[in-house]
Amino acid sequence: MFKNKHALLNNVKQVGSAIKRYPLLTLFISSLLILAWLDAQHPLSLPNNQGVFARVVVDENNRPLRTFADNNGIWRYPIDLSTVSPLYIEALLNYEDRWFWYHPGFNPLSLLRAAGQNIINGRIVSGGSTLSMQVARILHPHERSLWGKTKQMFRTLQLEWHLNKTQILQLYLNNAPFGGTIEGVQAASYTYLNKSAVELTHAEAALLAVLPQAPTRYRPDLHHKAAQKARDKVLQRLADFKTWSQETVDDAKLEQVFSFNYRPNQLAPLLSRRLLSQHPNKPVIRTTIDRDLQQSLQDTLMAYMQSLPKQTSGAVLVIDNKTAAVKAYLGTADFANASRFGYVDMVQAIRSPGSTLKPFIYGLAIDDGLIHSQSLLADVPRHWGTYRPSNFNGAFNGPVSASDALQRSLNMPAVDLLERYGVKRFVGQLANAGVQLSIPNQDPNLAIILGGLGTSLEQLVQGYSALANQGQVKTLRYLKHELNMDKNTRQLLSPASAWVIQDILSGISRPGSIQTLAATRHKNTFAWKTGTSYGYRDAWAIGVNKDYTFGVWLGRPDGTAVPGHYGRITAGPLLFNVADQLNINAMASAINKPKNVVSEIICWPLGIRLTDQDSTFCQQKKQAWIVDEVVPPTWHIADSDAWQGSLFSFWYNPQNNRRVSLDCPVPNKQHKQIAIWPKVLEPWLNAKAKRATLIPPVDPQCNNTLITPSSTLKIIGIEANSIFKQSGNDSAYPSVWLKTLGGDGVKHWYINGEYSYEAMPDQNVEHVLRNKGEQQIVVQDEQGNSDMITVYFQ
């Protein structure tokens, strides 16, 4: 505040005197003040990158998998100056704006030159615009007039005021017009050259440098000759400026410009959609996908689907075991094909897994000390309350090893193991390891091991990776930046049991092999397991080796059955096609065996080491993998002799080798022990191994009832291997009467593995032979006694 009017007038006079003395300085300051006021009143319209860029999902090497235009239908992919080829920057600056780094936004000499050319030609032929001025016009379009040029100059000064040169150049790289809906050098490079802007050659860099000058006239997909002529002009100028050598330019001119427009890629479309919804604010989503592998598997899947019904779809998932990075993700067989439900992502879909959970119960049973790899298991009729499962092939196999039962995916041994381990405990172990299961009514029962629940291909592949990662389950990684984050790992199996299970699964023969499962001598380069859900709705196959875990699913997304298609014959061959694409090397793919896993000879029926028993007890030798020196004996139900292999002790008369009691009046009686098989296996044993052969009859001199033989069960009235035929033109089917001799209590009859009849003691049942071929007939009583015969219906 001035003290009086005289002081105020005095200051005004001083200002006026300064204006008269320094007019140019006054003009400069006034101009700055005006520009500052205009800048405040008319701020720059700078992109905020929200909805400005097209969105792109890229692979591990920043190559596009799928692209999405922005809200205005423009294809513009964000790129940094550091990720553009230096050749392009050289071509752009030397052709468009050699003094870019030094001028204040406009080049007076260029403007004078352009003005002279326009006056001479009587029309606008050159604008003399710098890159800064071009960016200003892109951000604030204007008409080509003196007033428009003035506004452009103002906007250019604003740019130079608020941004540095690098920021201005980056705006040009991302927003320059390249024809049609293509903007920015990265979108142009992928559209016209099918490569990233970081990979440009000299010729390609020159082409993209000149294209924004006349994006319609020079579009290589529409006017390739004009584009090539303009490109060559740029190349020659760079040679004249000594930026590039004449030899380099001459070589670049030999490259032809072709009329081609590369359409946006549609690789991994369902994964792209999934990741975009999870990360709505990211313009570029960098995944762990290998685009070459993704493309190869997409072609493989499409070709494979030609042999399957039109309504079926398929899914493939491949992960890197070391990093848990997803390398290929095919959620559908044919994206956007409505007949194949192409919009449904079957990698995430919840489906019945069939038998694919069986390896986990075997591994957990090993860790629990219930079995070793060659434990004697019983594939025989069995019921758990009202639950009476059967095998996929409709027959029982009697005595089987744990390895054989897992390789052949037999149902009865798996259910038996699950009961012994505990259903809720099993589900809890999988859940704690991160394997998510969908269980009806949240009430798990024995049926879950045969597919009586839901899970996804994603969860199965994640779970199976434990077989290659010392029993640990790692959370899958879809984004590249996640690879640097701490891995979320949970223990499912011990390293030892994980190795044993993958070793067992690597012994399953390849689909189409003439070898039988039991006779396979050479292991595959990877372990694998198949599964088929109830009613042929889902066909699965999962593979594991040291480097990769990979899985396939085939079926109808709507849940309709696909009769005749199941895991081994439908999903198995596709799995091996995937393995071929991964170039799995047998030697490099071997998983190292833990030191606490050793190979030992065990014997059936007792199931223990050969060295821990009398050699006379060893009826069959097996080479088994033993973990931590634990060798569990043959054991099924502790309170039932029918399910145990055990030692049987008795006294006998050496004169006639008949069995006697200790108090029987027979001189020189002797004691003996023999190893006997579980009673439930009797029908499948050879004559020498049956109890009737191994246990001698009672000596008539002894009438002690304590040593009478245990009850036996025998099918009578039907001759084994009988052949039945329909008589003449009679449409009636032949029948047989199911009768037994001996046994205790109610009899349960199984025909070709399926529970068929319940008969009271002394009750006979008539069975009509309706299905032609081999007919396996098994009977079992309440004490576990059983008998089996086979007949044929032609």
Side-chain angles (χ1 to χ4, degrees), residues 7-254:
L8 176 62
L9 291 173
N10 186 49
N11 279 277
V12 171
K13 289 178 180 179
Q14 290 179 5
V15 171
S17 176
I19 292 174
K20 292 179 180 179
R21 189 178 302 175
Y22 305 106
L24 292 179
L25 177 61
T26 301
L27 178 63
F28 177 73
I29 293 175
S30 299
S31 299
L32 288 180
L33 292 173
I34 293 172
L35 288 174
W37 180 81
L38 289 172
D39 178 65
Q41 295 299 313
H42 304 281
L44 278 169
S45 178
L46 293 175
N48 61 7
N49 296 342
Q50 296 297 322
V52 173
F53 289 112
R55 303 189 68 188
V56 57
V57 179
V58 300
D59 81 337
E60 59 185 351
N61 295 314
N62 292 320
R63 298 175 295 179
L65 295 172
R66 192 180 181 196
T67 53
F68 302 82
D70 69 8
N71 297 335
N72 298 316
I74 302 297
W75 299 98
R76 185 191 298 117
Y77 310 146
I79 194 170
D80 296 324
L81 183 60
S82 60
T83 55
V84 178
S85 169
L87 297 178
Y88 174 74
I89 302 301
E90 291 176 355
L92 176 67
L93 295 182
N94 282 277
Y95 184 73
E96 285 282 0
D97 193 353
R98 296 185 68 196
W99 307 103
F100 171 76
W101 298 107
Y102 310 104
H103 60 61
F106 56 89
N107 188 333
L109 294 178
S110 296
L111 290 175
L112 290 173
R113 174 183 51 78
Q117 291 176 341
N118 295 341
I119 292 172
I120 292 172
N121 290 275
R123 58 187 177 87
I124 298 176
V125 296
S126 176
S129 296
T130 63
L131 285 179
S132 298
M133 294 173 68
Q134 292 181 47
V135 171
R137 187 174 66 245
I138 291 170
L139 298 180
H140 297 275
H142 62 81
E143 68 278 5
R144 302 194 72 176
S145 65
L146 181 60
W147 176 241
K149 203 67 172 179
T150 302
K151 290 193 292 184
Q152 182 184 19
M153 294 288 289
F154 167 67
R155 293 300 188 183
T156 301
L157 291 174
Q158 280 185 294
L159 276 175
E160 295 283 347
W161 192 339
H162 290 283
L163 305 177
N164 60 41
K165 290 289 188 180
T166 299
Q167 291 172 316
I168 294 172
L169 181 56
Q170 189 148 309
L171 281 173
Y172 180 86
L173 296 179
N174 282 303
N175 295 275
F178 283 86
T181 58
I182 307 303
E183 294 185 5
V185 66
Q186 184 77 317
S189 185
Y190 277 117
T191 301
Y192 301 126
L193 304 172
N194 196 29
K195 61 168 60 176
S196 171
V198 76
E199 302 172 338
L200 297 176
T201 65
H202 289 80
E204 293 165 345
L207 173 64
L208 295 186
V210 74
L211 185 52
Q213 276 200 351
T216 300
R217 222 166 357 120
Y218 295 158
R219 276 184 63 168
D221 59 330
L222 301 178
H223 311 289
H224 66 282
K225 291 183 179 179
Q228 184 162 326
K229 185 177 179 180
R231 181 206 66 181
D232 291 347
K233 179 181 177 181
V234 176
L235 287 171
Q236 191 55 51
R237 180 175 293 186
L238 292 169
D240 296 341
F241 288 157
K242 308 299 182 185
T243 303
W244 296 342
S245 69
Q246 188 64 52
E247 181 181 6
T248 298
V249 167
D250 290 340
D251 288 342
K253 288 180 179 179
L254 296 176

Side-chain angles (χ1 to χ4, degrees), residues 402-418:
S403 295
D404 194 33
L406 179 55
Q407 288 177 348
R408 297 166 65 182
S409 197
L410 300 177
N411 290 341
M412 311 307 287
V415 177
D416 175 48
L417 277 181
L418 181 60

Side-chain angles (χ1 to χ4, degrees), residues 344-352 454-458 540 553 557:
V344 181
D345 187 352
M346 299 310 298
V347 168
Q348 297 185 83
I350 302 300
R351 310 287 290 198
S352 166
T455 190
S456 65
L457 179 61
E458 182 177 44
W540 306 85
W553 171 90

